[in-house]
Amino acid sequence: MALSDTTEIHQFTCLDDNFGVLIHDTDTGTTIAVDVPDADAYEKALEQTGWSLTHILITHHHWDHVQGLGTLKRKTGATVIGPERSRLKIAEFDRTVEDGDDVRCGPYEIKAISTPGHTLDQISWYIASIKVAHTGDTLFSLGCGRVFEGDRDMMWSSLAKLMRQLPDDTTIYCGHEYTQANARFALTIDPDNADLKARADEVAALREKGAATLPTTMAKEKATNPFLRAGEASVAAALGMEGKSAAEVFSEIRMRKDNA
Ligand SMILES: [Zn+2]
């Protein structure tokens, strides 16, 4: 049976607007957590699903992604893998990765894609066999992370790298439920984009029900996320930036979002 047939993914809310994600293989029992904003929420999710945690992947060092790590590792004995750049900051790492490294977690071969900008250590995790990626606080649905440690050129390079490396049918999970606010901003940048308008309506309906707007897909984000569309002539024109490079247009969009 294909790995995608035996994989189940459970996404749940942690803290106010963070996500917890569990990736489980029913065949081997392998269960992977991505980031640990809150150990209690993970323990509850593991109890509900009946899954035993075997691995924890970390995207970056921010407190709202690693706060529950010590407790969850102690209680489950899971192997913790995260960015080499944060090795000295995070005591719980059993293994660290750099750009392009592959790690094996049970039946899953998982690629570490370095995507700095929001933080310098940021890793996006990609499991090609099941077409799933977790982009941490780099790529959000209809948005991208704030640039704290890198610069805007670096963030654009990281997003462009994700567009190159993740096929359109990749299912994307990320660190936060920010989609509705992102949609409002996106419409100020790309107001004539019919796909974006449809997505904004869909997002409003989901939030109305209290449902999550993630996961998304690479194809959807390429069609609707203004940060990924910085290279489109229509987006440059809407900003009065005809002929400017994608990196320059991205930089302008990121600044407008920071000041929105
Ligand atoms: Zn962060």
Side-chain angles (χ1 to χ4, degrees), residues 23-32 51-54 107:
I23 301 168
H24 175 74
D25 174 45
T26 55
D27 193 25
T28 60
T30 300
T31 305
I32 303 163
W51 300 344
S52 303
L53 195 64
T54 54

Side-chain angles (χ1 to χ4, degrees), residues 166-238:
L166 303 181
D168 284 355
D169 59 353
T170 308
T171 298
I172 310 265
Y173 290 85
C174 69
H176 292 272
E177 176 63 71
Y178 289 159
T179 318
Q180 193 160 23
N182 287 344
R184 279 193 288 272
F185 173 75
L187 285 165
T188 69
I189 300 294
D190 203 5
D192 300 325
N193 182 334
D195 290 334
L196 172 57
K197 285 188 235 177
R199 173 76 171 138
D201 290 344
E202 178 193 21
V203 164
L206 286 167
R207 297 311 292 155
E208 180 89 10
K209 289 191 290 188
T213 64
L214 274 289
T216 179
T217 66
M218 203 53 179
K220 273 196 213 176
E221 293 310 311
K222 280 182 178 173
T224 56
N225 187 323
F227 293 97
L228 297 189
R229 290 170 51 74
E232 296 290 323
S234 61
V235 172

